[in-house]
PDB file of all heavy atoms in Angstrom:
ATOM      1  N   LEU A   1     -15.971  -1.210   1.196  1.00  0.00           N
ATOM      2  CA  LEU A   1     -14.618  -0.645   1.175  1.00  0.00           C
ATOM      3  C   LEU A   1     -14.718   0.873   1.266  1.00  0.00           C
ATOM      4  O   LEU A   1     -14.926   1.562   0.263  1.00  0.00           O
ATOM      5  CB  LEU A   1     -13.900  -1.062  -0.113  1.00  0.00           C
ATOM      6  CG  LEU A   1     -12.418  -0.703  -0.228  1.00  0.00           C
ATOM      7  CD1 LEU A   1     -11.602  -1.364   0.877  1.00  0.00           C
ATOM      8  CD2 LEU A   1     -11.882  -1.097  -1.600  1.00  0.00           C
ATOM      9  N   PRO A   2     -14.573   1.436   2.460  1.00  0.00           N
ATOM     10  CA  PRO A   2     -14.725   2.891   2.629  1.00  0.00           C
ATOM     11  C   PRO A   2     -13.599   3.663   1.966  1.00  0.00           C
ATOM     12  O   PRO A   2     -12.542   3.123   1.642  1.00  0.00           O
ATOM     13  CB  PRO A   2     -14.709   3.069   4.149  1.00  0.00           C
ATOM     14  CG  PRO A   2     -14.035   1.856   4.686  1.00  0.00           C
ATOM     15  CD  PRO A   2     -14.316   0.742   3.736  1.00  0.00           C
ATOM     16  N   ALA A   3     -13.818   4.972   1.791  1.00  0.00           N
ATOM     17  CA  ALA A   3     -12.848   5.835   1.110  1.00  0.00           C
ATOM     18  C   ALA A   3     -11.493   5.832   1.816  1.00  0.00           C
ATOM     19  O   ALA A   3     -10.444   5.830   1.163  1.00  0.00           O
ATOM     20  CB  ALA A   3     -13.396   7.255   1.017  1.00  0.00           C
ATOM     21  N   ALA A   4     -11.505   5.838   3.158  1.00  0.00           N
ATOM     22  CA  ALA A   4     -10.240   5.856   3.904  1.00  0.00           C
ATOM     23  C   ALA A   4      -9.432   4.586   3.644  1.00  0.00           C
ATOM     24  O   ALA A   4      -8.198   4.633   3.530  1.00  0.00           O
ATOM     25  CB  ALA A   4     -10.504   6.014   5.395  1.00  0.00           C
ATOM     26  N   ALA A   5     -10.128   3.446   3.524  1.00  0.00           N
ATOM     27  CA  ALA A   5      -9.435   2.185   3.249  1.00  0.00           C
ATOM     28  C   ALA A   5      -8.866   2.180   1.836  1.00  0.00           C
ATOM     29  O   ALA A   5      -7.765   1.661   1.598  1.00  0.00           O
ATOM     30  CB  ALA A   5     -10.377   1.009   3.457  1.00  0.00           C
ATOM     31  N   LYS A   6      -9.604   2.754   0.882  1.00  0.00           N
ATOM     32  CA  LYS A   6      -9.078   2.859  -0.484  1.00  0.00           C
ATOM     33  C   LYS A   6      -7.797   3.683  -0.498  1.00  0.00           C
ATOM     34  O   LYS A   6      -6.805   3.319  -1.138  1.00  0.00           O
ATOM     35  CB  LYS A   6     -10.120   3.491  -1.401  1.00  0.00           C
ATOM     36  CG  LYS A   6     -11.336   2.616  -1.680  1.00  0.00           C
ATOM     37  CD  LYS A   6     -12.326   3.339  -2.583  1.00  0.00           C
ATOM     38  CE  LYS A   6     -13.574   2.492  -2.839  1.00  0.00           C
ATOM     39  NZ  LYS A   6     -14.551   3.215  -3.702  1.00  0.00           N
ATOM     40  N   ARG A   7      -7.823   4.803   0.206  1.00  0.00           N
ATOM     41  CA  ARG A   7      -6.615   5.642   0.308  1.00  0.00           C
ATOM     42  C   ARG A   7      -5.457   4.849   0.905  1.00  0.00           C
ATOM     43  O   ARG A   7      -4.327   4.869   0.390  1.00  0.00           O
ATOM     44  CB  ARG A   7      -6.918   6.857   1.181  1.00  0.00           C
ATOM     45  CG  ARG A   7      -5.723   7.753   1.482  1.00  0.00           C
ATOM     46  CD  ARG A   7      -5.992   8.591   2.723  1.00  0.00           C
ATOM     47  NE  ARG A   7      -6.186   7.751   3.887  1.00  0.00           N
ATOM     48  CZ  ARG A   7      -6.865   8.115   4.985  1.00  0.00           C
ATOM     49  NH1 ARG A   7      -7.412   9.313   5.053  1.00  0.00           N
ATOM     50  NH2 ARG A   7      -6.992   7.284   6.011  1.00  0.00           N
ATOM     51  N   ASP A   8      -5.716   4.134   1.980  1.00  0.00           N
ATOM     52  CA  ASP A   8      -4.657   3.394   2.655  1.00  0.00           C
ATOM     53  C   ASP A   8      -4.122   2.254   1.802  1.00  0.00           C
ATOM     54  O   ASP A   8      -2.920   1.966   1.810  1.00  0.00           O
ATOM     55  CB  ASP A   8      -5.165   2.861   4.000  1.00  0.00           C
ATOM     56  CG  ASP A   8      -5.490   3.972   4.979  1.00  0.00           C
ATOM     57  OD1 ASP A   8      -5.019   5.112   4.775  1.00  0.00           O
ATOM     58  OD2 ASP A   8      -6.243   3.704   5.946  1.00  0.00           O
ATOM     59  N   LEU A   9      -5.003   1.589   1.059  1.00  0.00           N
ATOM     60  CA  LEU A   9      -4.545   0.526   0.172  1.00  0.00           C
ATOM     61  C   LEU A   9      -3.659   1.086  -0.938  1.00  0.00           C
ATOM     62  O   LEU A   9      -2.659   0.467  -1.319  1.00  0.00           O
ATOM     63  CB  LEU A   9      -5.740  -0.231  -0.421  1.00  0.00           C
ATOM     64  CG  LEU A   9      -6.480  -1.155   0.549  1.00  0.00           C
ATOM     65  CD1 LEU A   9      -7.759  -1.686  -0.080  1.00  0.00           C
ATOM     66  CD2 LEU A   9      -5.591  -2.322   0.999  1.00  0.00           C
ATOM     67  N   MET A  10      -4.007   2.264  -1.454  1.00  0.00           N
ATOM     68  CA  MET A  10      -3.154   2.889  -2.471  1.00  0.00           C
ATOM     69  C   MET A  10      -1.804   3.289  -1.883  1.00  0.00           C
ATOM     70  O   MET A  10      -0.759   3.119  -2.520  1.00  0.00           O
ATOM     71  CB  MET A  10      -3.866   4.092  -3.087  1.00  0.00           C
ATOM     72  CG  MET A  10      -5.009   3.710  -4.017  1.00  0.00           C
ATOM     73  SD  MET A  10      -5.673   5.105  -4.949  1.00  0.00           S
ATOM     74  CE  MET A  10      -6.461   6.054  -3.650  1.00  0.00           C
ATOM     75  N   VAL A  11      -1.810   3.819  -0.659  1.00  0.00           N
ATOM     76  CA  VAL A  11      -0.554   4.147   0.017  1.00  0.00           C
ATOM     77  C   VAL A  11       0.302   2.893   0.152  1.00  0.00           C
ATOM     78  O   VAL A  11       1.514   2.905  -0.117  1.00  0.00           O
ATOM     79  CB  VAL A  11      -0.830   4.769   1.399  1.00  0.00           C
ATOM     80  CG1 VAL A  11       0.438   4.795   2.262  1.00  0.00           C
ATOM     81  CG2 VAL A  11      -1.383   6.181   1.245  1.00  0.00           C
ATOM     82  N   SER A  12      -0.322   1.806   0.541  1.00  0.00           N
ATOM     83  CA  SER A  12       0.388   0.542   0.705  1.00  0.00           C
ATOM     84  C   SER A  12       0.972   0.055  -0.622  1.00  0.00           C
ATOM     85  O   SER A  12       2.152  -0.296  -0.708  1.00  0.00           O
ATOM     86  CB  SER A  12      -0.575  -0.509   1.280  1.00  0.00           C
ATOM     87  OG  SER A  12       0.013  -1.786   1.275  1.00  0.00           O
ATOM     88  N   LEU A  13       0.165   0.045  -1.682  1.00  0.00           N
ATOM     89  CA  LEU A  13       0.607  -0.500  -2.960  1.00  0.00           C
ATOM     90  C   LEU A  13       1.689   0.362  -3.610  1.00  0.00           C
ATOM     91  O   LEU A  13       2.646  -0.162  -4.201  1.00  0.00           O
ATOM     92  CB  LEU A  13      -0.590  -0.646  -3.908  1.00  0.00           C
ATOM     93  CG  LEU A  13      -1.634  -1.693  -3.502  1.00  0.00           C
ATOM     94  CD1 LEU A  13      -2.859  -1.605  -4.407  1.00  0.00           C
ATOM     95  CD2 LEU A  13      -1.044  -3.102  -3.544  1.00  0.00           C
ATOM     96  N   ILE A  14       1.557   1.678  -3.505  1.00  0.00           N
ATOM     97  CA  ILE A  14       2.582   2.551  -4.077  1.00  0.00           C
ATOM     98  C   ILE A  14       3.884   2.424  -3.297  1.00  0.00           C
ATOM     99  O   ILE A  14       4.980   2.412  -3.877  1.00  0.00           O
ATOM    100  CB  ILE A  14       2.090   4.012  -4.121  1.00  0.00           C
ATOM    101  CG1 ILE A  14       0.922   4.129  -5.114  1.00  0.00           C
ATOM    102  CG2 ILE A  14       3.224   4.955  -4.534  1.00  0.00           C
ATOM    103  CD1 ILE A  14       0.210   5.465  -5.071  1.00  0.00           C
ATOM    104  N   THR A  15       3.801   2.294  -1.993  1.00  0.00           N
ATOM    105  CA  THR A  15       5.003   2.054  -1.191  1.00  0.00           C
ATOM    106  C   THR A  15       5.693   0.777  -1.650  1.00  0.00           C
ATOM    107  O   THR A  15       6.921   0.735  -1.810  1.00  0.00           O
ATOM    108  CB  THR A  15       4.641   1.955   0.303  1.00  0.00           C
ATOM    109  OG1 THR A  15       4.047   3.182   0.733  1.00  0.00           O
ATOM    110  CG2 THR A  15       5.882   1.671   1.148  1.00  0.00           C
ATOM    111  N   LEU A  16       4.899  -0.278  -1.893  1.00  0.00           N
ATOM    112  CA  LEU A  16       5.465  -1.559  -2.323  1.00  0.00           C
ATOM    113  C   LEU A  16       6.194  -1.455  -3.653  1.00  0.00           C
ATOM    114  O   LEU A  16       7.175  -2.161  -3.897  1.00  0.00           O
ATOM    115  CB  LEU A  16       4.348  -2.600  -2.462  1.00  0.00           C
ATOM    116  CG  LEU A  16       3.671  -3.064  -1.179  1.00  0.00           C
ATOM    117  CD1 LEU A  16       2.522  -4.001  -1.504  1.00  0.00           C
ATOM    118  CD2 LEU A  16       4.665  -3.756  -0.263  1.00  0.00           C
ATOM    119  N   LYS A  17       5.711  -0.590  -4.510  1.00  0.00           N
ATOM    120  CA  LYS A  17       6.313  -0.452  -5.848  1.00  0.00           C
ATOM    121  C   LYS A  17       7.783  -0.060  -5.765  1.00  0.00           C
ATOM    122  O   LYS A  17       8.551  -0.329  -6.690  1.00  0.00           O
ATOM    123  CB  LYS A  17       5.519   0.588  -6.649  1.00  0.00           C
ATOM    124  CG  LYS A  17       5.909   0.689  -8.117  1.00  0.00           C
ATOM    125  CD  LYS A  17       5.007   1.661  -8.851  1.00  0.00           C
ATOM    126  CE  LYS A  17       5.433   1.850 -10.297  1.00  0.00           C
ATOM    127  NZ  LYS A  17       4.590   2.841 -11.005  1.00  0.00           N
ATOM    128  N   TYR A  18       8.184   0.565  -4.655  1.00  0.00           N
ATOM    129  CA  TYR A  18       9.556   1.039  -4.527  1.00  0.00           C
ATOM    130  C   TYR A  18      10.337   0.310  -3.436  1.00  0.00           C
ATOM    131  O   TYR A  18      11.294   0.845  -2.879  1.00  0.00           O
ATOM    132  CB  TYR A  18       9.550   2.558  -4.323  1.00  0.00           C
ATOM    133  CG  TYR A  18       9.020   3.228  -5.567  1.00  0.00           C
ATOM    134  CD1 TYR A  18       7.684   3.603  -5.658  1.00  0.00           C
ATOM    135  CD2 TYR A  18       9.827   3.385  -6.686  1.00  0.00           C
ATOM    136  CE1 TYR A  18       7.174   4.159  -6.819  1.00  0.00           C
ATOM    137  CE2 TYR A  18       9.331   3.939  -7.847  1.00  0.00           C
ATOM    138  CZ  TYR A  18       8.000   4.320  -7.906  1.00  0.00           C
ATOM    139  OH  TYR A  18       7.501   4.855  -9.081  1.00  0.00           O
ATOM    140  N   THR A  19       9.912  -0.915  -3.143  1.00  0.00           N
ATOM    141  CA  THR A  19      10.685  -1.787  -2.251  1.00  0.00           C
ATOM    142  C   THR A  19      11.348  -2.875  -3.088  1.00  0.00           C
ATOM    143  O   THR A  19      11.184  -2.945  -4.296  1.00  0.00           O
ATOM    144  CB  THR A  19       9.766  -2.456  -1.216  1.00  0.00           C
ATOM    145  OG1 THR A  19       8.778  -3.233  -1.920  1.00  0.00           O
ATOM    146  CG2 THR A  19       9.075  -1.442  -0.342  1.00  0.00           C
ATOM    147  N   GLN A  20      12.080  -3.743  -2.417  1.00  0.00           N
ATOM    148  CA  GLN A  20      12.652  -4.922  -3.062  1.00  0.00           C
ATOM    149  C   GLN A  20      11.709  -6.105  -2.842  1.00  0.00           C
ATOM    150  O   GLN A  20      11.270  -6.358  -1.726  1.00  0.00           O
ATOM    151  CB  GLN A  20      14.022  -5.228  -2.469  1.00  0.00           C
ATOM    152  CG  GLN A  20      15.009  -4.068  -2.512  1.00  0.00           C
ATOM    153  CD  GLN A  20      15.335  -3.618  -3.912  1.00  0.00           C
ATOM    154  OE1 GLN A  20      15.864  -4.379  -4.712  1.00  0.00           O
ATOM    155  NE2 GLN A  20      15.007  -2.378  -4.236  1.00  0.00           N
ATOM    156  N   SER A  21      11.394  -6.864  -3.904  1.00  0.00           N
ATOM    157  CA  SER A  21      10.521  -8.041  -3.757  1.00  0.00           C
ATOM    158  C   SER A  21      11.208  -9.069  -2.854  1.00  0.00           C
ATOM    159  O   SER A  21      12.431  -9.144  -2.828  1.00  0.00           O
ATOM    160  CB  SER A  21      10.275  -8.677  -5.122  1.00  0.00           C
ATOM    161  OG  SER A  21       9.575  -7.806  -5.974  1.00  0.00           O
ATOM    162  N   ASN A  22      10.448  -9.941  -2.196  1.00  0.00           N
ATOM    163  CA  ASN A  22       9.010  -9.898  -1.978  1.00  0.00           C
ATOM    164  C   ASN A  22       8.667  -8.778  -0.987  1.00  0.00           C
ATOM    165  O   ASN A  22       9.472  -8.456  -0.132  1.00  0.00           O
ATOM    166  CB  ASN A  22       8.517 -11.227  -1.405  1.00  0.00           C
ATOM    167  CG  ASN A  22       8.593 -12.372  -2.389  1.00  0.00           C
ATOM    168  OD1 ASN A  22       8.233 -12.247  -3.539  1.00  0.00           O
ATOM    169  ND2 ASN A  22       9.073 -13.525  -1.908  1.00  0.00           N
ATOM    170  N   SER A  23       7.436  -8.270  -1.062  1.00  0.00           N
ATOM    171  CA  SER A  23       7.097  -7.144  -0.201  1.00  0.00           C
ATOM    172  C   SER A  23       5.642  -7.189   0.242  1.00  0.00           C
ATOM    173  O   SER A  23       4.764  -7.579  -0.519  1.00  0.00           O
ATOM    174  CB  SER A  23       7.335  -5.821  -0.926  1.00  0.00           C
ATOM    175  OG  SER A  23       8.658  -5.711  -1.374  1.00  0.00           O
ATOM    176  N   VAL A  24       5.432  -6.738   1.482  1.00  0.00           N
ATOM    177  CA  VAL A  24       4.104  -6.570   2.064  1.00  0.00           C
ATOM    178  C   VAL A  24       4.125  -5.281   2.860  1.00  0.00           C
ATOM    179  O   VAL A  24       5.131  -4.967   3.506  1.00  0.00           O
ATOM    180  CB  VAL A  24       3.737  -7.762   2.979  1.00  0.00           C
ATOM    181  CG1 VAL A  24       2.491  -7.459   3.792  1.00  0.00           C
ATOM    182  CG2 VAL A  24       3.528  -9.034   2.166  1.00  0.00           C
ATOM    183  N   ALA A  25       3.036  -4.515   2.802  1.00  0.00           N
ATOM    184  CA  ALA A  25       2.980  -3.260   3.569  1.00  0.00           C
ATOM    185  C   ALA A  25       1.621  -3.102   4.225  1.00  0.00           C
ATOM    186  O   ALA A  25       0.589  -3.322   3.586  1.00  0.00           O
ATOM    187  CB  ALA A  25       3.266  -2.060   2.670  1.00  0.00           C
ATOM    188  N   TYR A  26       1.624  -2.742   5.498  1.00  0.00           N
ATOM    189  CA  TYR A  26       0.424  -2.418   6.259  1.00  0.00           C
ATOM    190  C   TYR A  26       0.286  -0.896   6.282  1.00  0.00           C
ATOM    191  O   TYR A  26       1.290  -0.184   6.392  1.00  0.00           O
ATOM    192  CB  TYR A  26       0.531  -2.914   7.703  1.00  0.00           C
ATOM    193  CG  TYR A  26       0.598  -4.404   7.884  1.00  0.00           C
ATOM    194  CD1 TYR A  26       1.679  -5.160   7.445  1.00  0.00           C
ATOM    195  CD2 TYR A  26      -0.423  -5.082   8.560  1.00  0.00           C
ATOM    196  CE1 TYR A  26       1.749  -6.524   7.648  1.00  0.00           C
ATOM    197  CE2 TYR A  26      -0.364  -6.454   8.773  1.00  0.00           C
ATOM    198  CZ  TYR A  26       0.729  -7.169   8.319  1.00  0.00           C
ATOM    199  OH  TYR A  26       0.790  -8.527   8.519  1.00  0.00           O
ATOM    200  N   ALA A  27      -0.942  -0.389   6.201  1.00  0.00           N
ATOM    201  CA  ALA A  27      -1.151   1.060   6.201  1.00  0.00           C
ATOM    202  C   ALA A  27      -2.437   1.419   6.926  1.00  0.00           C
ATOM    203  O   ALA A  27      -3.395   0.637   6.939  1.00  0.00           O
ATOM    204  CB  ALA A  27      -1.194   1.599   4.765  1.00  0.00           C
ATOM    205  N   VAL A  28      -2.432   2.619   7.506  1.00  0.00           N
ATOM    206  CA  VAL A  28      -3.631   3.149   8.155  1.00  0.00           C
ATOM    207  C   VAL A  28      -3.483   4.667   8.246  1.00  0.00           C
ATOM    208  O   VAL A  28      -2.359   5.188   8.323  1.00  0.00           O
ATOM    209  CB  VAL A  28      -3.841   2.528   9.556  1.00  0.00           C
ATOM    210  CG1 VAL A  28      -2.819   3.039  10.559  1.00  0.00           C
ATOM    211  CG2 VAL A  28      -5.260   2.746  10.057  1.00  0.00           C
TER     212      VAL A  28
END
């Protein structure tokens, strides 16, 4: 799991925190 992927996964998860459930987010 490279550093860039860790960053992108955090971007994805934090974005999800402020959506309406159910939620999925792709990031790069």
